């Protein structure tokens, strides 16, 4: 296994599975792609910072949730802040890396609303007052990005679009 360090160096390096195509999607899933981890991030983003509320609202087993929260803290997605000294109690807050995951959760939510549920169980509104309808746009040209517009340029040595070369 190889370790990778992000370009900005803000998150600790994670060992990556060397099997298969080098891929940021695989690295991201290895770091945060487990159900209870993403649901914990969701709850914290909703303002539920204490363990009991996170456990209740995710339905995660408490022992599993403890491990996931520690992992998210270790990789720099969460920080623990003490809110009581006697007894010592902590709450969880998203770091910049954790807040950056919210666009991923928003995209997953939109996909689930479209393809998996009859009626969305929650709706977000934007600060403009309208219901949120996320689009991806190219920072360079400003146009909306759709899958047909994308072209792959493989930069991993020894790989092309079809696999190892």
């Amino acid at each position: 296994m190889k370790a990778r360090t992000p370009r900005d160096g803000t998150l600790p390096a994670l060992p990556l599975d060397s099997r298969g195509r080098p891929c940021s999607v695989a690295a991201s899933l290895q770091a945060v792609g487990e159900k209870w981890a993403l649901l914990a991030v969701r709850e914290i983003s909703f303002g539920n910072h204490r363990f009991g509320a996170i456990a209740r609202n995710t339905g995660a087993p408490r022992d599993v949730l403890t491990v996931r929260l520690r992992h998210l803290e270790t990789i720099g997605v969460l920080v623990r802040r003490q809110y009581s000294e006697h007894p010592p109690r902590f709450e969880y807050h998203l770091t910049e890396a954790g807040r950056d995951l919210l666009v991923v959760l928003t995209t997953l939510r939109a996909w689930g609303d479209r393809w998996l549920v009859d009626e969305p169980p929650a709706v977000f509104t934007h600060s403009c007052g309208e219901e949120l309808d996320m689009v991806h746009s190219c920072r360079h040209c400003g146009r909306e990005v759709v899958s047909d517009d994308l072209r792959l340029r493989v930069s991993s040595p020894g790989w092309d679009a079809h696999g190892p070369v």
Side-chain angles (χ1 to χ4, degrees), residues 41 61 70 73 88:
V41 170
R70 284 184 184 148
E73 184 181 7

Side-chain angles (χ1 to χ4, degrees), residues 81-102:
R81 295 185 189 147
Q82 190 167 8
Y83 69 88
S84 172
E85 288 188 28
H86 302 289
R89 298 274 190 249
F90 296 87
E91 53 186 22
Y92 298 89
H93 294 270
L94 298 175
T95 62
E96 181 181 359
R99 289 187 300 276
D100 277 356
L101 276 173
L102 298 182

Side-chain angles (χ1 to χ4, degrees), residues 17-149:
D17 190 335
S18 61
R19 295 171 295 180
R21 178 186 301 277
C23 174
S24 295
V25 172
S28 298
L29 288 172
Q30 185 175 335
V32 297
E34 191 274 332
K35 173 183 176 178
W36 302 124
L38 289 174
L39 292 179
V41 170
R42 177 200 67 192
E43 286 305 312
I44 295 164
S45 77
F46 286 178
N48 298 305
H49 300 285
R50 295 186 180 173
F51 183 88
I54 298 167
R56 178 188 66 233
N57 296 343
T58 61
R62 294 175 79 82
D63 59 334
V64 171
L65 182 59
T66 298
V67 171
R68 296 308 180 269
L69 290 171
R70 284 184 184 148
H71 171 72
L72 291 171
E73 184 181 7
T74 299
I75 66 170
V77 170
L78 304 177
V79 293
R80 274 186 342 149
R81 295 185 189 147
Q82 190 167 8
Y83 69 88
S84 172
E85 288 188 28
H86 302 289
R89 298 274 190 249
F90 296 87
E91 53 186 22
Y92 298 89
H93 294 270
L94 298 175
T95 62
E96 181 181 359
R99 289 187 300 276
D100 277 356
L101 276 173
L102 298 182
V103 71
V104 174
L105 292 179
T106 300
T107 302
L108 277 172
R109 184 180 302 108
W111 185 84
D113 287 349
R114 179 172 180 189
W115 296 105
L116 301 177
V117 299
D118 294 327
E119 188 68 31
V123 176
F124 284 85
T125 56
H126 187 257
S127 59
C128 71
E130 295 297 317
E131 189 173 310
L132 182 63
D133 183 14
M134 293 282 291
V135 296
H136 296 278
S137 63
C138 175
R139 187 180 309 273
H140 178 73
C141 70
R143 293 192 342 239
E144 183 176 350
V145 175
V146 295
S147 59
D148 290 342
D149 294 335

